[in-house]
Amino acid sequence: MVPSDADTSPRPPTSASTTSAPRASTRWCVRASWIVATDAQASRVQAYSLDHQIGVSAVFSLETAHDMDCADMLDFLATDPHTHIVFVALTHLARPSRFLSAARACTRNKPVFAWCVAPDGQGQPVYQAAIERTGFVRVNDFEQLLDASQTAEAQGIQQGPLIESYREQMRRIMATPPLPAPDVRGLRAAHAHARQWIDRIETRGTDLPLWMGSNEAQMLLACFGLHADTNGSVDTDVEADNTIGVDIEADEGIKADAAIKAISGSDNGMTAVDYTIEVEIHDDPGFGAVMTLTPGSRLAHRPNIDAASEDRESPRTVTHLLPVDTTLVFDSLHDLMGINDSKDPKDPTDTTRPTDARRLPGRDIAQAAYALETLSAIVCGQSRLGAMTGQLEYSAGRWYFARARLLIVARGRRHPLSIRPYPFNLEQTIDWDGMALTFRPIRPEDEPHHAGLFRAQTPEDLYLRFFSMQREPDHARLSRLVRIDYAREMAIIACSGPADQLVVHGVARAVSCVEAHGAGESAEFAVAIRSDEKGHHLGRMLMERIIDYCRGRGMARIVGVVLKENRRMLALAQDCGFERQTNEDPTIWSIVLPLQDQAINTARRPDNRA
């Protein structure tokens, strides 16, 4: 079973101002499409293309687009066969969350080069942080964007420094996270426990917004495994009850151990280095929660650093949208703090220290990135947290979050997130043949374990899944499967074992699409399980969960295509209520399940196993 190749992209945005330029007669004949903010820019693009004989497929102007915006146009261009490369000039985003989702989908299919300027009242760092998450290659001004189109026409889209810059950007945002996947199975319980603390504050009748007391802030962070140092070894100018360290055991029976275990650095006896990163999370009216990182100014225990020269340098600040991307945060910390480039940052045995006391090995920086991801998860999962401040401190081979302050706001007062976070509410652990089996959404850190799922399927099963013989997937393909946009698709995995030895037993995937005939939003699904674990109802359990998810998201139907020889999958689909429909390919059945007026009949054909 494989997702269909049918074009389910939106129709061309005909309400936008659209112009065309003559086809260039160069041997490359690049087809470029433009999205610009004003009609004047559209005219400038057309004139420039005519003067320099640059091929243009279409130019869309947002100024005269009444019911379309940049996101709609990007969705169309992402699968438009007449567009090879996209150029974007933006000064305003009407729907930030929709734009970010469409932009990331488009850059996965073709290069996008952009010049983006924050509108009045919108902070440029936040705006640039949003563009960074899209995969766009940024240029400095509109003239450079025009020059880039000329370069693309001359060099083509297969070679040259212009396209290499796009490939490098994609390698960066699709990179494998720096550490093995943290264990996220405790997030659901941790968030429930944290909500109890916030409810207690709210029921006191105090006026909101309100900065939470240090003890209460510590208790809330403890729900996620962030505790005060058990040895009490904190700086003398820091209150002990407001210094949060990293501990493996979670408070009151909550187990978020492996998720937080990655945060604690290796205890290698190095106490002479003290790093401080100022952390601030605030609510941005355009993009929701935003994290700002600034290197601290304290130089205690840094004998190799000239304090006078250090103070003369203005601190560099980096900004990330929430939920943060661990790989991008790792890169930011790499730039802010330095890294021991002679060692592999992902090598768990790398505990050596460089001679420069200002630099840390990559693994310790990766642990700091996961500490910041934990803070991001706390804010994303608690909508009444309006702000957070504190310091991420490194001492004696460990990271601590000190001077924590949390702002409680009234319900509905915080702006919505522009990127849908990891949906921890879908986590569920059951007993499966004497084994603790967890169903949860897929994460980028699952890449090596997802490769194991491919290796655990026979060539015959892979053929039935993909309709062709398959090679073992490379990093690029695996990254696309595990780095998903939760706003557009969902992949629920069934897994077991600790985080560093995770086994993925199966996966169910659904990708939303808007149907061409306007009948509403549907989802195209696929299911795969290990070949040696058939007959244990795993396929059925995964299918039920992906159907329930699509129904809860308001999908009109769920559809798929199955080879007629795949009798096991066809039997499972029939058992779940799918209807068979003829396909233009005589070797394939199309299957459809209406979702809003039909429930799964779990009692049918109980002896069917998949």
Side-chain angles (χ1 to χ4, degrees):
M1 182 175 49
V2 64
S4 169
D5 291 331
D7 182 11
T8 56
S9 60
R11 297 304 94 199
T14 54
S15 64
S17 175
T18 308
T19 57
S20 300
R23 300 285 341 129
S25 58
T26 66
R27 66 175 186 146
W28 298 109
C29 197
V30 172
R31 298 177 180 179
S33 288
W34 286 74
I35 302 173
V36 295
T38 66
D39 290 345
Q41 290 175 335
S43 299
R44 178 81 174 95
V45 169
Q46 187 175 25
Y48 187 91
S49 301
L50 287 170
D51 291 343
H52 295 82
Q53 283 297 293
I54 300 172
V56 174
S57 180
V59 181
F60 300 108
S61 171
L62 297 174
E63 184 176 354
T64 51
H66 302 295
D67 58 350
M68 294 286 179
D69 60 15
C70 186
D72 298 317
M73 297 172 187
L74 286 170
D75 271 336
F76 166 67
L77 294 176
T79 54
D80 177 28
H82 304 291
T83 299
H84 297 155
I85 188 170
V86 180
F87 297 95
V88 179
L90 287 179
T91 57
H92 176 69
L93 295 179
R95 297 179 293 171
S97 60
R98 178 79 173 79
F99 164 77
L100 290 174
S101 180
R104 285 181 290 172
C106 189
T107 53
R108 287 191 173 201
N109 290 344
K110 56 195 64 174
V112 181
F113 293 81
W115 170 60
C116 303
V117 180
D120 294 339
Q122 181 76 62
Q124 188 71 16
V126 176
Y127 206 73
Q128 296 301 335
I131 299 302
E132 181 183 39
R133 297 293 287 271
T134 63
F136 287 0
V137 179
R138 290 179 292 176
V139 299
N140 295 327
D141 53 46
F142 189 70
E143 292 301 319
Q144 283 193 8
L145 202 61
L146 292 171
D147 293 342
S149 68
Q150 184 180 13
T151 302
E153 181 68 35
Q155 298 179 348
I157 59 171
Q158 300 298 327
Q159 63 181 9
L162 187 72
I163 298 304
E164 186 56 36
S165 64
Y166 160 72
R167 290 172 178 158
E168 178 59 31
Q169 181 74 350
M170 292 305 296
R171 282 193 291 267
R172 181 168 179 254
I173 66 173
M174 303 293 284
T176 305
L179 281 179
D183 192 339
V184 295
R185 286 174 287 190
L187 275 179
R188 188 171 185 174
H191 278 294
H193 197 59
R195 280 193 292 270
Q196 295 178 9
W197 284 106
I198 296 177
D199 289 341
R200 292 176 190 176
I201 296 174
E202 203 169 28
T203 54
R204 297 174 189 168
T206 55
D207 294 333
L208 298 177
L210 172 70
W211 283 100
M212 185 183 293
S214 60
N215 285 332
E216 291 167 325
Q218 175 181 326
M219 292 176 181
L220 188 146
L221 294 174
C223 296
F224 298 84
L226 300 174
H227 289 267
D229 184 15
T230 56
N231 296 325
S233 57
V234 297
D235 293 344
T236 56
D237 59 337
V238 181
E239 295 179 9
D241 64 351
N242 197 29
T243 299
I244 312 303
V246 180
D247 191 25
I248 301 305
E249 296 182 5
D251 190 35
E252 297 187 24
I254 293 179
K255 301 298 181 182
D257 51 357
I260 308 303
K261 188 175 182 179
I263 301 172
S264 58
S266 55
D267 188 3
N268 45 39
M270 183 179 181
T271 60
V273 178
D274 178 21
Y275 292 92
T276 302
I277 301 175
E278 305 288 342
V279 181
E280 178 189 353
I281 298 177
H282 67 276
D283 187 23
D284 182 82
F287 294 95
V290 173
M291 176 184 290
T292 301
L293 306 177
T294 306
S297 59
R298 293 193 306 153
L299 300 173
H301 310 300
R302 291 187 180 184
N304 296 341
I305 298 177
D306 180 359
S309 63
E310 184 85 1
D311 289 339
R312 285 194 297 268
E313 299 179 4
S314 58
R316 180 189 172 193
T317 298
V318 295
T319 302
H320 294 277
L321 299 189
L322 264 62
V324 298
D325 183 296
T326 308
T327 304
L328 296 181
V329 171
F330 174 81
D331 290 344
S332 318
L333 297 175
H334 175 287
D335 295 338
L336 290 175
M337 304 169 59
I339 188 172
N340 181 11
D341 295 315
S342 64
K343 294 290 184 178
D344 181 2
K346 303 181 184 68
D347 182 5
T349 65
D350 174 21
T351 58
T352 60
R353 289 291 188 267
T355 57
D356 184 356
R358 300 176 64 180
R359 296 163 68 83
L360 288 176
R363 182 169 178 81
D364 284 356
I365 296 180
Q367 290 154 358
Y370 276 115
L372 295 171
E373 184 191 45
T374 300
L375 297 176
S376 169
I378 294 172
V379 174
C380 290
Q382 302 296 324
S383 61
R384 285 173 288 173
L385 286 181
M388 174 187 294
T389 63
Q391 293 179 345
L392 189 64
E393 298 182 347
Y394 181 85
S395 179
R398 300 184 65 188
W399 288 100
Y400 301 90
F401 191 63
R403 297 178 176 87
R405 298 187 68 208
L406 306 176
L407 180 66
I408 307 300
V409 298
R411 297 175 187 272
R413 295 294 296 175
R414 200 179 81 181
H415 293 87
L417 298 170
S418 54
I419 298 175
R420 192 176 182 216
Y422 172 81
F424 61 86
N425 58 300
L426 297 180
E427 298 173 0
Q428 184 184 19
T429 300
I430 66 170
D431 180 78
W432 184 56
D433 292 344
M435 175 193 303
L437 185 69
T438 297
F439 295 92
R440 64 165 175 84
I442 204 166
R443 291 169 54 96
E445 293 87 352
D446 293 321
E447 180 180 329
H449 313 300
H450 208 64
L453 175 62
F454 271 86
R455 291 191 292 269
Q457 297 179 75
T458 64
E460 294 77 13
D461 285 345
L462 287 173
Y463 174 81
L464 293 176
R465 165 67 177 85
F466 294 101
F467 294 12
S468 63
M469 302 305 294
Q470 298 290 307
R471 298 178 180 177
E472 184 168 341
D474 58 10
H475 161 70
R477 183 180 179 189
L478 284 171
S479 182
R480 288 174 176 264
L481 293 173
V482 300
R483 281 187 172 271
I484 66 174
D485 181 357
Y486 298 122
R488 290 178 172 242
E489 56 185 309
M490 177 54 62
I492 297 177
I493 63 172
C495 58
S496 65
D500 57 346
Q501 301 177 6
L502 195 74
V503 176
V504 176
H505 302 271
V507 60
R509 192 176 299 269
V511 180
S512 63
C513 54
V514 178
E515 299 191 353
H517 50 74
E521 192 174 16
S522 65
E524 198 166 8
F525 84 99
V527 177
I529 61 174
R530 294 170 60 98
S531 297
D532 59 350
E533 292 181 337
K534 296 179 182 179
H536 295 273
H537 298 293
L538 183 57
R540 174 60 180 263
M541 290 188 291
L542 285 167
M543 178 77 86
E544 289 176 350
R545 282 163 176 79
I546 204 67
I547 291 174
D548 288 343
Y549 170 81
C550 292
R551 181 180 288 112
R553 292 279 289 173
M555 301 287 183
R557 62 191 58 80
I558 185 168
V559 301
V561 286
V562 185
L563 285 172
K564 290 184 176 180
E565 61 190 277
N566 193 351
R567 298 183 180 87
R568 185 184 292 270
M569 186 66 230
L570 289 171
L572 176 61
Q574 182 178 352
D575 190 30
C576 292
F578 281 83
E579 299 175 356
R580 297 185 190 181
Q581 297 179 355
T582 58
N583 188 284
E584 59 183 11
D585 186 336
T587 66
I588 291 174
W589 282 112
S590 296
I591 55 176
V592 180
L593 175 68
L595 295 179
Q596 299 309 315
D597 56 355
Q598 181 175 343
I600 305 174
N601 182 3
T602 58
R604 295 172 58 188
R605 296 183 63 179
D607 56 339
N608 175 51
R609 297 190 171 195

